[in-house]
Amino acid sequence: MKKFEKGQKYIDILLVVWIIISLIVSISIFSSRFQSYLVYISLGYIFLSICVAIIAFLYAKSMFKKANILEDKVGFDNNEIKQQDQQEQNNQNKLLAEQRETEEKKLITHIVDQISSDLETTQDLNEYFEKMLNNMSNIMAIVQGVAYAFNKKNERFEIKGTYAYYSTETNRTFVLGEGITGQVAKDKKILLIDNVPQDYVLVQSGLGQGSPKYLIVIPFVYKNETVAVLELATFEKKNYNLKKLFEKLNSRFAENIAKQIAS
């Protein structure tokens, strides 16, 4: 900016000098003393005007060039600043995502650790599932649950444990792909169902009865075969990452369930 101000000062001085010379030439034209030199004065004035015009043109051209360079530099700096801001924002988002993922892993690990409490020493399969469902009710707000294990003899899934289950179908069984639970066993993927039909599950207590809104169906897969399935009903939807929860539950319990079924 100082270079521009200095150049502008020189232009102002040159214009003042040119104006003064123009006044002198104008006066000399009307003075009889200088009539004999009028041609030379006019030529000199024209030459001086041309010089002033050339100098002003070259200076203006130089200033425009410098201004364009400065504008490009400022634009480049602005783009660089924007890129830096975007990169910083991306880094912050990545850091927050990593923090959320770490917290989520801790939460899921904590949930699974609590579910597995007292299960390591349990050898009876029915008791194993009863304890698991009871632990889930305390941790995951489960109000009703049913555990099915695969029977290799008849190739059907049979009830091996329940929690707050009041159905008369205590001997209910299904094959792979039959109904919602059988389809989950076939797909080997956890399933969350919103707005469960009112007649699908029923919870009774001393305070009355009601139908849970959500149903979570969890398969336990060992060596690419579904060995058990859990049906869990709840009134409230938790913010768990169901896929990660399923992976953690499966890695913790599937092998042990398979061994108990085989024994």
Side-chain angles (χ1 to χ4, degrees), residues 83 85-95:
Q83 290 177 357
D85 291 342
Q86 185 62 44
Q87 184 63 39
E88 185 177 352
Q89 184 64 42
N90 291 339
N91 291 338
Q92 290 179 352
N93 292 338
K94 184 179 179 181
L95 181 60

Side-chain angles (χ1 to χ4, degrees), residues 112-167:
V112 175
D113 286 341
Q114 288 184 300
I115 292 174
S116 63
S117 177
D118 298 330
L119 293 181
E120 289 81 359
T121 58
T122 305
Q123 300 300 321
D124 180 74
L125 187 60
N126 293 69
E127 185 182 355
Y128 186 89
F129 280 121
E130 293 283 347
K131 285 185 177 181
M132 180 186 291
L133 292 171
N134 188 68
N135 291 343
M136 285 182 170
S137 69
N138 296 327
I139 300 160
M140 300 172 62
I142 301 303
V143 295
Q144 191 177 71
V146 184
Y148 302 90
F150 185 67
N151 188 331
K152 289 186 177 182
K153 293 180 180 180
N154 58 16
E155 295 187 345
R156 299 185 71 87
F157 288 86
E158 302 172 345
I159 293 178
K160 290 295 180 179
T162 62
Y163 175 81
Y165 185 68
Y166 296 98
S167 174

Side-chain angles (χ1 to χ4, degrees), residues 7-238:
Q8 183 64 46
K9 184 178 180 181
Y10 289 152
I11 289 293
D12 292 342
I13 293 173
L14 184 63
L15 289 174
V16 169
V17 171
W18 180 73
I19 291 172
I20 293 173
I21 293 174
S22 298
L23 291 173
I24 294 173
V25 171
S26 299
I27 293 172
S28 66
I29 290 174
F30 297 100
S31 175
S32 58
R33 183 184 304 178
F34 299 103
Q35 289 295 321
S36 58
Y37 302 101
L38 184 59
V39 175
Y40 300 105
I41 293 173
S42 298
L43 290 175
Y45 176 72
I46 292 171
F47 176 77
L48 178 63
S49 298
I50 292 173
C51 290
V52 171
I54 292 173
I55 292 172
F57 172 76
L58 292 176
Y59 174 76
K61 184 177 180 181
S62 175
M63 290 301 101
F64 278 122
K65 184 177 180 180
K66 290 180 179 179
N68 289 333
I69 293 173
L70 180 61
E71 184 179 0
D72 292 340
K73 186 176 184 302
V74 171
F76 176 79
D77 291 342
N78 287 337
N79 289 334
E80 187 176 0
I81 291 172
K82 289 180 180 179
Q83 290 177 357
Q84 291 176 351
D85 291 342
Q86 185 62 44
Q87 184 63 39
E88 185 177 352
Q89 184 64 42
N90 291 339
N91 291 338
Q92 290 179 352
N93 292 338
K94 184 179 179 181
L95 181 60
L96 289 174
E98 290 175 351
Q99 290 176 346
R100 285 194 295 268
E101 185 176 359
T102 301
E103 292 174 358
E104 188 177 67
K105 286 181 178 178
K106 289 181 179 179
L107 174 61
I108 290 176
T109 300
H110 177 67
I111 291 172
V112 175
D113 286 341
Q114 288 184 300
I115 292 174
S116 63
S117 177
D118 298 330
L119 293 181
E120 289 81 359
T121 58
T122 305
Q123 300 300 321
D124 180 74
L125 187 60
N126 293 69
E127 185 182 355
Y128 186 89
F129 280 121
E130 293 283 347
K131 285 185 177 181
M132 180 186 291
L133 292 171
N134 188 68
N135 291 343
M136 285 182 170
S137 69
N138 296 327
I139 300 160
M140 300 172 62
I142 301 303
V143 295
Q144 191 177 71
V146 184
Y148 302 90
F150 185 67
N151 188 331
K152 289 186 177 182
K153 293 180 180 180
N154 58 16
E155 295 187 345
R156 299 185 71 87
F157 288 86
E158 302 172 345
I159 293 178
K160 290 295 180 179
T162 62
Y163 175 81
Y165 185 68
Y166 296 98
S167 174
T168 57
E169 297 183 71
T170 55
N171 295 322
R172 179 191 169 201
T173 65
F174 60 87
V175 296
L176 203 66
E178 181 184 356
I180 294 175
T181 314
Q183 191 61 44
V184 169
K186 183 178 179 180
D187 295 338
K188 304 179 181 67
K189 295 179 181 179
I190 193 169
L191 176 67
L192 171 67
I193 301 176
D194 295 338
N195 298 320
V196 179
Q198 292 186 0
D199 58 348
Y200 190 84
V201 288
L202 184 66
V203 178
Q204 296 178 332
S205 69
L207 299 178
Q209 64 181 31
S211 297
K213 291 181 60 178
Y214 305 100
L215 181 69
I216 305 172
V217 187
I218 303 175
F220 289 99
V221 182
Y222 181 68
K223 292 184 177 181
N224 204 35
E225 291 186 1
T226 303
V227 294
V229 183
L230 297 185
E231 279 187 337
L232 308 173
T234 178
F235 286 107
E236 54 184 296
K237 186 177 182 180
K238 296 294 184 178

